[in-house]
Amino acid sequence: MFENRPDRSDEVVLVGRSNVGKSTLMREITGHKVPTGQKPGVTREPNHFDWASEDFMVTDLPGFGYMQGVEEGHEEAIKTEVVQYVEEYAENVMVGVLVLDGKAAVDIIDRHSGDDEIPHVVELYYLLEELGIQPVVAVNKMDKVPDRDERLNDIADRLGLYPPWKQWRDVIAPITAKKGKIGPFEDAMKSHLEAAKRDDLKKFFA
């Protein structure tokens, strides 16, 4: 199980497959460089970022799925640890940010959808809901997606959200983190923090 969690009450967690841009989004939120790389699986332990004056932190949890140089059993172990972390700290987690690769997400979800199989990203989305954690789906790398609305409608549909996606703007946030284009994500976060009466934390998503 992941250890060394800072002693902070309120938390936002970033979850998702490897190489979807979680660490890049983390860097945009915090303004601090976190390890990112071309190879999947750079983040193997949680990256926590907390502010000395705040009882709040942002956590980038390791990605799951294909990781270069990692045995299959270890990939499964990381996925299990991510789930256990979210379950253990569910009452501290205000928002769970599921980061997807806008270009690849639908194909990956469809490829892993079988009679007895729920794709991991869909499973994570349902897990957040079941635990009472507000999900926000940050659909990243949108600069590489030509059929933007159609793709976002498909993602909404796969997550059980009735299209069109635009009626779910507080849940589905199209972004390009690498270029600093995360406005829809910040808007979604601010709406949830307002609902939670935590206007004091909105400054982190401005």
Side-chain angles (χ1 to χ4, degrees):
M1 181 68 185
F2 302 134
E3 292 167 5
N4 305 324
R5 179 185 183 275
D7 183 20
R8 294 288 184 271
S9 298
D10 296 319
E11 183 174 10
V12 167
V13 296
L14 276 57
V15 296
R17 291 178 65 84
S18 301
N19 218 26
V20 294
K22 293 186 304 301
S23 300
T24 308
L25 178 56
M26 174 88 159
R27 188 178 62 211
E28 286 298 317
I29 296 168
T30 63
H32 285 258
K33 197 162 173 51
V34 286
T36 61
Q38 294 300 312
K39 289 195 281 190
V42 171
T43 309
R44 302 274 172 91
E45 288 285 326
N47 275 324
H48 301 288
F49 192 90
D50 57 328
W51 290 262
S53 59
E54 306 282 344
D55 192 16
F56 169 70
M57 68 178 172
V58 180
T59 299
D60 172 21
L61 288 168
F64 53 83
Y66 172 73
M67 289 179 210
Q68 204 151 355
V70 176
E71 317 146 12
E72 206 170 310
H74 189 58
E75 288 175 22
E76 281 300 312
I78 286 178
K79 199 176 73 211
T80 302
E81 288 191 326
V82 167
V83 169
Q84 285 174 346
Y85 182 95
V86 174
E87 287 177 338
E88 182 168 346
Y89 297 109
E91 59 187 48
N92 302 97
V93 179
M94 305 171 72
V95 179
V97 182
L98 175 60
V99 185
L100 302 182
D101 177 337
K103 200 172 174 200
V106 175
D107 290 343
I108 288 169
I109 289 170
D110 289 353
R111 195 161 66 232
H112 292 90
S113 294
D115 294 340
D116 55 351
E117 195 178 22
I118 299 175
H120 299 325
V121 289
V122 177
E123 208 171 14
L124 262 181
Y125 180 81
Y126 291 154
L127 175 72
L128 293 171
E129 287 202 314
E130 276 167 30
L131 294 171
I133 298 170
Q134 173 62 53
V136 167
V137 183
V139 187
N140 195 20
K141 309 187 186 182
M142 286 304 291
D143 56 327
K144 297 180 179 160
V145 177
D147 49 346
R148 182 184 166 90
D149 283 341
E150 190 182 324
R151 186 64 56 93
L152 292 167
N153 285 342
D154 285 346
I155 286 170
D157 178 62
R158 301 305 190 274
L159 295 173
L161 301 170
Y162 197 70
W165 77 272
K166 287 182 177 173
Q167 62 185 338
W168 303 103
R169 283 181 189 271
D170 61 337
V171 177
I172 295 180
I175 62 169
T176 303
K178 206 170 188 179
K179 297 184 176 176
K181 296 182 175 174
I182 63 166
F185 165 74
E186 291 174 328
D187 291 344
M189 292 298 296
K190 284 186 277 198
S191 73
H192 298 309
L193 292 171
E194 268 173 29
K197 298 192 168 36
R198 290 304 306 270
D199 286 13
D200 57 309
L201 298 178
K202 281 165 47 178
K203 62 191 176 201
F204 297 112
F205 302 95

